Amino acid sequence: MAANRRFKDSVFSLYMSDPKRLIEVYNAAEGTDYPPDTPVQINTLEDALFMERVNDMSFLLDGKLIVLIEHQSTVNKNMATRMLLYAARLYEKVLPDDAIYREKQIPIPTPKFIVLYNGDKPVEEHSIQRLSDVFMLHDGEPKLELLVDVYDISYSSKRMPRLLQESGSLNEYSTFVHEVKTAVSAGIDFCEALKSAIRACISRNIMKEFLETHGSEVENMLFTEWNMETALRIRKEEGKQEGKQEGKQEGLREGQAAIIKKLLKQYSVVDVSKMTGISEGEIKELTNQ
């Protein structure tokens, strides 16, 4: 189960933890041709307190590039700000402790920031988020800038984004996610949809080796992610309903409680609280524990 791993992965992070996949995706995004045996040092940030991943994936490529890749299923306009914070912590990891105090200039790896969007909302195939766009004052050339390349990798029978054409790993991953979404949209229970998608992809040689090795982990990870997103959405909707008829509020709370109970079958109250942002006391109240 995912909860028993040293830190809690997402399916994307686990899938992309293969250096060859990382090199392939980077080459596709940047138009480079680094060979599969190029040195890769994965340095994804970890939360020392909760033993969870802080960012999705980051790595040192060929000792000269520090690459951050984030996977998003919803549109987020704050990725440049997030990447800034991640980058600062990563440089602290890869540089000597006394680097900034030395008189001689210390070269640092060149940063690259990539967001892979795989949601349902239509977006541009490629766009750029700039840190300076969120500054409160715009008075000449920004003294600090950071650019994030955002790529749409959503699978569709009507179109094939460039990145999916040039990266077989991303193509297979997006196809798998599409299989799950299609089954759920057809009214199939999420757990059954997930199992069906895994079987279908293995039979079609899509992520076959990965799914055969990590199938049970994938099921647990996606089940948790799916229910966590639903719980958060219900929590948000519940807030919007404040002041409206009590019956609707009660219905939302019942839906929220049902999702929390599902999560509690696999995780502790403490873990579920961290996942959903709902306090332990409220969780116990919702589930009558």
Side-chain angles (χ1 to χ4, degrees):
M1 288 177 58
N4 293 328
R5 297 180 64 83
R6 183 170 180 272
F7 32 57
K8 297 169 187 171
D9 278 322
S10 67
V11 173
F12 176 82
S13 297
L14 180 60
Y15 181 60
M16 294 305 299
S17 61
D18 183 332
K20 291 182 179 178
R21 291 195 185 105
L22 291 174
I23 294 170
E24 177 198 292
V25 171
Y26 181 79
N27 282 337
E30 295 292 322
T32 51
D33 57 357
Y34 285 94
D37 59 350
T38 302
V40 168
Q41 179 184 338
I42 296 176
N43 52 19
T44 302
L45 295 169
E46 304 163 27
D47 188 310
L49 181 61
F50 299 133
M51 297 178 70
E52 296 175 346
R53 290 183 179 273
V54 175
N55 59 330
D56 284 336
M57 183 60 63
S58 54
F59 59 99
L60 195 64
L61 178 62
D62 200 23
K64 301 173 183 177
L65 290 162
I66 192 164
V67 185
L68 288 85
I69 300 178
E70 289 291 300
H71 175 260
Q72 293 285 305
S73 58
T74 56
V75 176
N76 188 326
K77 298 294 185 181
N78 298 300
M79 292 310 301
T81 304
R82 285 175 57 176
M83 292 292 198
L84 174 68
L85 301 178
Y86 294 157
R89 291 182 62 179
L90 286 168
Y91 278 124
E92 286 182 340
K93 288 181 66 174
V94 302
L95 294 176
D97 292 340
D98 63 345
I100 60 175
Y101 301 105
R102 297 181 187 179
E103 182 177 347
K104 183 179 179 181
Q105 187 179 71
I106 303 295
I108 65 174
T110 302
K112 296 287 185 178
F113 305 101
I114 299 170
V115 169
L116 303 175
Y117 171 76
N118 194 16
D120 299 324
K121 183 178 180 179
V123 297
E124 295 179 62
E125 187 170 316
H126 175 229
S127 61
I128 295 177
Q129 285 192 23
R130 298 175 184 272
L131 181 65
S132 59
D133 288 341
V134 303
F135 291 166
M136 293 181 180
L137 294 176
H138 298 273
D139 53 354
E141 183 178 354
K143 299 301 187 289
L144 177 65
E145 185 62 284
L146 184 153
L147 275 61
V148 181
D149 286 292
V150 183
Y151 295 94
D152 181 15
I153 61 166
S154 304
Y155 180 89
S156 170
S157 58
K158 298 180 181 178
R159 55 185 284 276
M160 180 67 72
R162 179 188 67 82
L163 223 54
L164 297 191
Q165 297 178 41
E166 299 184 11
S167 171
S169 297
L170 285 182
N171 194 330
E172 292 189 19
Y173 173 78
S174 291
T175 301
F176 169 66
V177 173
H178 176 73
E179 288 287 333
V180 177
K181 289 182 178 180
T182 300
V184 171
S185 298
I188 301 176
D189 175 77
F190 180 73
C191 289
E192 289 304 315
L194 183 52
K195 292 177 182 178
S196 174
I198 291 175
R199 290 194 299 267
C201 285
I202 289 176
S203 68
R204 292 159 53 192
N205 203 31
I206 296 171
M207 293 175 65
K208 182 177 180 179
E209 182 178 348
F210 175 80
L211 291 174
E212 286 179 336
T213 303
H214 301 286
S216 59
E217 286 182 285
V218 169
E219 286 188 37
N220 282 291
M221 288 176 193
L222 282 183
F223 176 81
T224 302
E225 290 173 10
W226 181 273
N227 284 292
M228 182 173 69
E229 288 178 5
T230 304
L232 291 172
R233 185 174 68 251
I234 289 176
R235 184 174 175 82
K236 184 177 180 180
E237 290 172 354
E238 185 181 46
K240 290 180 179 179
Q241 292 293 331
E242 278 188 31
K244 295 188 178 181
Q245 55 266 46
E246 188 175 333
K248 284 188 177 180
Q249 288 185 336
E250 187 61 30
L252 288 169
R253 287 184 67 81
E254 289 177 2
Q256 188 181 45
I259 292 167
I260 295 298
K261 287 178 180 178
K262 286 184 180 180
L263 292 175
L264 287 173
K265 291 180 180 179
Q266 297 187 52
Y267 302 100
S268 69
V269 172
V270 174
D271 283 336
V272 173
S273 178
K274 294 172 187 173
M275 292 174 186
T276 62
I278 301 173
S279 70
E280 295 176 35
E282 190 175 354
I283 287 173
K284 293 175 180 178
E285 181 183 340
L286 279 168
T287 56
N288 297 318
Q289 291 188 2

